[in-house]
PDB file of all heavy atoms in Angstrom:
ATOM      1  N   TRP A  88      50.779-134.574-287.068  1.00  0.00           N
ATOM      2  CA  TRP A  88      49.807-134.364-288.158  1.00  0.00           C
ATOM      3  C   TRP A  88      50.512-134.018-289.496  1.00  0.00           C
ATOM      4  O   TRP A  88      50.059-134.302-290.493  1.00  0.00           O
ATOM      5  CB  TRP A  88      48.860-133.201-287.825  1.00  0.00           C
ATOM      6  CG  TRP A  88      47.920-133.564-286.743  1.00  0.00           C
ATOM      7  CD1 TRP A  88      47.496-134.769-286.351  1.00  0.00           C
ATOM      8  CD2 TRP A  88      47.228-132.624-285.866  1.00  0.00           C
ATOM      9  NE1 TRP A  88      46.684-134.755-285.241  1.00  0.00           N
ATOM     10  CE2 TRP A  88      46.393-133.424-284.975  1.00  0.00           C
ATOM     11  CE3 TRP A  88      47.219-131.257-285.743  1.00  0.00           C
ATOM     12  CZ2 TRP A  88      45.606-132.830-283.997  1.00  0.00           C
ATOM     13  CZ3 TRP A  88      46.377-130.683-284.817  1.00  0.00           C
ATOM     14  CH2 TRP A  88      45.623-131.477-283.926  1.00  0.00           C
ATOM     15  N   SER A  89      51.710-133.339-289.313  1.00  0.00           N
ATOM     16  CA  SER A  89      52.459-132.977-290.518  1.00  0.00           C
ATOM     17  C   SER A  89      53.445-134.075-290.948  1.00  0.00           C
ATOM     18  O   SER A  89      54.103-133.951-292.043  1.00  0.00           O
ATOM     19  CB  SER A  89      53.215-131.664-290.275  1.00  0.00           C
ATOM     20  OG  SER A  89      54.160-131.827-289.206  1.00  0.00           O
ATOM     21  N   GLY A  90      53.654-135.106-290.152  1.00  0.00           N
ATOM     22  CA  GLY A  90      54.557-136.169-290.476  1.00  0.00           C
ATOM     23  C   GLY A  90      56.059-135.763-290.365  1.00  0.00           C
ATOM     24  O   GLY A  90      56.899-136.283-290.969  1.00  0.00           O
ATOM     25  N   LYS A  91      56.274-134.741-289.504  1.00  0.00           N
ATOM     26  CA  LYS A  91      57.624-134.198-289.344  1.00  0.00           C
ATOM     27  C   LYS A  91      58.126-134.467-287.878  1.00  0.00           C
ATOM     28  O   LYS A  91      57.403-134.882-287.013  1.00  0.00           O
ATOM     29  CB  LYS A  91      57.670-132.688-289.574  1.00  0.00           C
ATOM     30  CG  LYS A  91      57.257-132.297-291.021  1.00  0.00           C
ATOM     31  CD  LYS A  91      58.237-132.848-292.060  1.00  0.00           C
ATOM     32  CE  LYS A  91      57.860-132.374-293.471  1.00  0.00           C
ATOM     33  NZ  LYS A  91      58.795-132.898-294.475  1.00  0.00           N
ATOM     34  N   SER A  92      59.436-134.209-287.659  1.00  0.00           N
ATOM     35  CA  SER A  92      60.020-134.331-286.338  1.00  0.00           C
ATOM     36  C   SER A  92      60.836-133.114-286.087  1.00  0.00           C
ATOM     37  O   SER A  92      61.176-132.286-286.930  1.00  0.00           O
ATOM     38  CB  SER A  92      60.890-135.606-286.278  1.00  0.00           C
ATOM     39  OG  SER A  92      62.042-135.407-287.112  1.00  0.00           O
ATOM     40  N   LEU A  93      61.286-132.955-284.850  1.00  0.00           N
ATOM     41  CA  LEU A  93      62.141-131.789-284.452  1.00  0.00           C
ATOM     42  C   LEU A  93      63.447-131.750-285.282  1.00  0.00           C
ATOM     43  O   LEU A  93      63.917-130.682-285.630  1.00  0.00           O
ATOM     44  CB  LEU A  93      62.549-131.918-282.921  1.00  0.00           C
ATOM     45  CG  LEU A  93      61.381-131.585-281.932  1.00  0.00           C
ATOM     46  CD1 LEU A  93      62.003-131.659-280.544  1.00  0.00           C
ATOM     47  CD2 LEU A  93      60.907-130.225-282.133  1.00  0.00           C
ATOM     48  N   GLU A  94      64.007-132.946-285.602  1.00  0.00           N
ATOM     49  CA  GLU A  94      65.175-132.982-286.421  1.00  0.00           C
ATOM     50  C   GLU A  94      65.000-132.407-287.816  1.00  0.00           C
ATOM     51  O   GLU A  94      66.063-132.108-288.477  1.00  0.00           O
ATOM     52  CB  GLU A  94      65.710-134.427-286.493  1.00  0.00           C
ATOM     53  CG  GLU A  94      66.264-135.031-285.233  1.00  0.00           C
ATOM     54  CD  GLU A  94      65.146-135.350-284.123  1.00  0.00           C
ATOM     55  OE1 GLU A  94      63.954-135.518-284.579  1.00  0.00           O
ATOM     56  OE2 GLU A  94      65.499-135.393-282.978  1.00  0.00           O
ATOM     57  N   ASP A  95      63.780-132.328-288.285  1.00  0.00           N
ATOM     58  CA  ASP A  95      63.549-131.774-289.635  1.00  0.00           C
ATOM     59  C   ASP A  95      63.491-130.290-289.668  1.00  0.00           C
ATOM     60  O   ASP A  95      63.624-129.622-290.702  1.00  0.00           O
ATOM     61  CB  ASP A  95      62.175-132.281-290.165  1.00  0.00           C
ATOM     62  CG  ASP A  95      62.159-133.793-290.327  1.00  0.00           C
ATOM     63  OD1 ASP A  95      63.175-134.360-290.761  1.00  0.00           O
ATOM     64  OD2 ASP A  95      61.119-134.371-290.026  1.00  0.00           O
ATOM     65  N   ILE A  96      63.437-129.628-288.453  1.00  0.00           N
ATOM     66  CA  ILE A  96      63.276-128.162-288.418  1.00  0.00           C
ATOM     67  C   ILE A  96      64.581-127.443-288.615  1.00  0.00           C
ATOM     68  O   ILE A  96      65.558-127.773-287.939  1.00  0.00           O
ATOM     69  CB  ILE A  96      62.555-127.767-287.081  1.00  0.00           C
ATOM     70  CG1 ILE A  96      61.172-128.273-286.992  1.00  0.00           C
ATOM     71  CG2 ILE A  96      62.559-126.231-286.904  1.00  0.00           C
ATOM     72  CD1 ILE A  96      60.454-128.080-285.698  1.00  0.00           C
ATOM     73  N   ASP A  97      64.567-126.445-289.534  1.00  0.00           N
ATOM     74  CA  ASP A  97      65.799-125.671-289.826  1.00  0.00           C
ATOM     75  C   ASP A  97      65.788-124.291-289.194  1.00  0.00           C
ATOM     76  O   ASP A  97      66.779-123.750-288.715  1.00  0.00           O
ATOM     77  CB  ASP A  97      65.961-125.482-291.341  1.00  0.00           C
ATOM     78  CG  ASP A  97      65.964-126.836-292.078  1.00  0.00           C
ATOM     79  OD1 ASP A  97      66.934-127.612-291.943  1.00  0.00           O
ATOM     80  OD2 ASP A  97      64.975-127.171-292.749  1.00  0.00           O
ATOM     81  N   ASN A  98      64.618-123.693-289.153  1.00  0.00           N
ATOM     82  CA  ASN A  98      64.431-122.319-288.635  1.00  0.00           C
ATOM     83  C   ASN A  98      63.343-122.339-287.537  1.00  0.00           C
ATOM     84  O   ASN A  98      62.381-123.001-287.621  1.00  0.00           O
ATOM     85  CB  ASN A  98      63.997-121.317-289.647  1.00  0.00           C
ATOM     86  CG  ASN A  98      64.988-121.245-290.820  1.00  0.00           C
ATOM     87  OD1 ASN A  98      66.208-121.164-290.591  1.00  0.00           O
ATOM     88  ND2 ASN A  98      64.531-121.234-292.050  1.00  0.00           N
ATOM     89  N   VAL A  99      63.619-121.496-286.477  1.00  0.00           N
ATOM     90  CA  VAL A  99      62.640-121.349-285.412  1.00  0.00           C
ATOM     91  C   VAL A  99      62.401-119.833-285.225  1.00  0.00           C
ATOM     92  O   VAL A  99      63.392-119.021-285.052  1.00  0.00           O
ATOM     93  CB  VAL A  99      63.209-121.985-284.110  1.00  0.00           C
ATOM     94  CG1 VAL A  99      62.153-121.619-282.943  1.00  0.00           C
ATOM     95  CG2 VAL A  99      63.396-123.428-284.253  1.00  0.00           C
ATOM     96  N   ILE A 100      61.125-119.453-285.149  1.00  0.00           N
ATOM     97  CA  ILE A 100      60.735-118.003-284.934  1.00  0.00           C
ATOM     98  C   ILE A 100      59.938-118.004-283.648  1.00  0.00           C
ATOM     99  O   ILE A 100      58.914-118.709-283.510  1.00  0.00           O
ATOM    100  CB  ILE A 100      59.953-117.490-286.027  1.00  0.00           C
ATOM    101  CG1 ILE A 100      60.589-117.711-287.434  1.00  0.00           C
ATOM    102  CG2 ILE A 100      59.723-115.948-285.861  1.00  0.00           C
ATOM    103  CD1 ILE A 100      59.668-117.353-288.621  1.00  0.00           C
ATOM    104  N   VAL A 101      60.380-117.168-282.707  1.00  0.00           N
ATOM    105  CA  VAL A 101      59.723-117.067-281.403  1.00  0.00           C
ATOM    106  C   VAL A 101      59.344-115.641-281.094  1.00  0.00           C
ATOM    107  O   VAL A 101      60.166-114.746-281.254  1.00  0.00           O
ATOM    108  CB  VAL A 101      60.612-117.717-280.247  1.00  0.00           C
ATOM    109  CG1 VAL A 101      61.923-117.053-280.230  1.00  0.00           C
ATOM    110  CG2 VAL A 101      59.848-117.603-278.949  1.00  0.00           C
ATOM    111  N   SER A 102      58.133-115.409-280.592  1.00  0.00           N
ATOM    112  CA  SER A 102      57.727-114.129-280.149  1.00  0.00           C
ATOM    113  C   SER A 102      58.316-113.825-278.783  1.00  0.00           C
ATOM    114  O   SER A 102      58.178-114.701-277.870  1.00  0.00           O
ATOM    115  CB  SER A 102      56.178-114.000-280.076  1.00  0.00           C
ATOM    116  OG  SER A 102      55.760-112.838-279.430  1.00  0.00           O
ATOM    117  N   VAL A 103      58.910-112.680-278.628  1.00  0.00           N
ATOM    118  CA  VAL A 103      59.547-112.285-277.387  1.00  0.00           C
ATOM    119  C   VAL A 103      58.720-111.258-276.628  1.00  0.00           C
ATOM    120  O   VAL A 103      59.228-110.674-275.608  1.00  0.00           O
ATOM    121  CB  VAL A 103      60.991-111.827-277.591  1.00  0.00           C
ATOM    122  CG1 VAL A 103      61.905-112.923-278.102  1.00  0.00           C
ATOM    123  CG2 VAL A 103      61.057-110.563-278.447  1.00  0.00           C
ATOM    124  N   GLY A 104      57.565-110.962-277.064  1.00  0.00           N
ATOM    125  CA  GLY A 104      56.698-110.033-276.466  1.00  0.00           C
ATOM    126  C   GLY A 104      56.508-108.758-277.224  1.00  0.00           C
ATOM    127  O   GLY A 104      56.891-108.764-278.358  1.00  0.00           O
ATOM    128  N   PRO A 105      55.930-107.718-276.602  1.00  0.00           N
ATOM    129  CA  PRO A 105      55.442-107.685-275.196  1.00  0.00           C
ATOM    130  C   PRO A 105      54.146-108.425-275.003  1.00  0.00           C
ATOM    131  O   PRO A 105      53.433-108.800-275.963  1.00  0.00           O
ATOM    132  CB  PRO A 105      55.230-106.187-275.008  1.00  0.00           C
ATOM    133  CG  PRO A 105      54.828-105.629-276.292  1.00  0.00           C
ATOM    134  CD  PRO A 105      55.632-106.539-277.276  1.00  0.00           C
ATOM    135  N   GLY A 106      53.812-108.662-273.727  1.00  0.00           N
ATOM    136  CA  GLY A 106      52.605-109.370-273.408  1.00  0.00           C
ATOM    137  C   GLY A 106      52.725-109.885-271.981  1.00  0.00           C
ATOM    138  O   GLY A 106      53.421-109.359-271.125  1.00  0.00           O
ATOM    139  N   SER A 107      51.995-110.974-271.712  1.00  0.00           N
ATOM    140  CA  SER A 107      51.937-111.566-270.455  1.00  0.00           C
ATOM    141  C   SER A 107      53.361-111.969-269.988  1.00  0.00           C
ATOM    142  O   SER A 107      54.063-112.638-270.760  1.00  0.00           O
ATOM    143  CB  SER A 107      51.058-112.843-270.475  1.00  0.00           C
ATOM    144  OG  SER A 107      51.387-113.736-269.451  1.00  0.00           O
ATOM    145  N   PHE A 108      53.751-111.701-268.767  1.00  0.00           N
ATOM    146  CA  PHE A 108      55.121-112.045-268.317  1.00  0.00           C
ATOM    147  C   PHE A 108      55.299-113.559-268.369  1.00  0.00           C
ATOM    148  O   PHE A 108      56.320-114.049-268.866  1.00  0.00           O
ATOM    149  CB  PHE A 108      55.292-111.568-266.878  1.00  0.00           C
ATOM    150  CG  PHE A 108      55.517-110.062-266.758  1.00  0.00           C
ATOM    151  CD1 PHE A 108      54.426-109.231-266.451  1.00  0.00           C
ATOM    152  CD2 PHE A 108      56.749-109.521-266.961  1.00  0.00           C
ATOM    153  CE1 PHE A 108      54.614-107.841-266.414  1.00  0.00           C
ATOM    154  CE2 PHE A 108      56.908-108.097-266.852  1.00  0.00           C
ATOM    155  CZ  PHE A 108      55.828-107.327-266.586  1.00  0.00           C
ATOM    156  N   THR A 109      54.262-114.277-267.939  1.00  0.00           N
ATOM    157  CA  THR A 109      54.399-115.714-267.933  1.00  0.00           C
ATOM    158  C   THR A 109      54.345-116.236-269.322  1.00  0.00           C
ATOM    159  O   THR A 109      55.129-117.142-269.739  1.00  0.00           O
ATOM    160  CB  THR A 109      53.273-116.364-267.104  1.00  0.00           C
ATOM    161  OG1 THR A 109      53.354-115.909-265.739  1.00  0.00           O
ATOM    162  CG2 THR A 109      53.341-117.895-267.092  1.00  0.00           C
ATOM    163  N   GLY A 110      53.430-115.766-270.095  1.00  0.00           N
ATOM    164  CA  GLY A 110      53.304-116.199-271.487  1.00  0.00           C
ATOM    165  C   GLY A 110      54.512-116.069-272.362  1.00  0.00           C
ATOM    166  O   GLY A 110      54.925-116.988-273.058  1.00  0.00           O
ATOM    167  N   VAL A 111      55.092-114.889-272.247  1.00  0.00           N
ATOM    168  CA  VAL A 111      56.316-114.628-273.029  1.00  0.00           C
ATOM    169  C   VAL A 111      57.417-115.657-272.666  1.00  0.00           C
ATOM    170  O   VAL A 111      58.119-116.193-273.542  1.00  0.00           O
ATOM    171  CB  VAL A 111      56.808-113.201-272.812  1.00  0.00           C
ATOM    172  CG1 VAL A 111      58.201-113.021-273.451  1.00  0.00           C
ATOM    173  CG2 VAL A 111      55.826-112.241-273.435  1.00  0.00           C
ATOM    174  N   ARG A 112      57.597-115.872-271.380  1.00  0.00           N
ATOM    175  CA  ARG A 112      58.633-116.796-270.879  1.00  0.00           C
ATOM    176  C   ARG A 112      58.402-118.207-271.320  1.00  0.00           C
ATOM    177  O   ARG A 112      59.329-118.967-271.578  1.00  0.00           O
ATOM    178  CB  ARG A 112      58.727-116.723-269.364  1.00  0.00           C
ATOM    179  CG  ARG A 112      59.299-115.430-268.852  1.00  0.00           C
ATOM    180  CD  ARG A 112      59.762-115.610-267.368  1.00  0.00           C
ATOM    181  NE  ARG A 112      58.679-115.891-266.542  1.00  0.00           N
ATOM    182  CZ  ARG A 112      57.919-114.978-265.845  1.00  0.00           C
ATOM    183  NH1 ARG A 112      58.139-113.726-266.068  1.00  0.00           N
ATOM    184  NH2 ARG A 112      56.946-115.378-265.071  1.00  0.00           N
TER     185      ARG A 112
END
């Protein structure tokens, strides 16, 4: 939808929890 690809991404932010054990992983 955004017309982008993985190769265009410079920064990645990921939530590490807390929360569901499966969800976080």
Side-chain angles (χ1 to χ4, degrees):
W88 293 337
S89 61
K91 299 294 182 180
S92 68
L93 286 181
E94 288 73 22
D95 297 322
I96 294 174
D97 303 289
N98 299 316
V99 176
I100 310 171
V101 57
S102 171
V103 295
S107 159
F108 288 96
T109 301
V111 171
R112 290 196 298 270

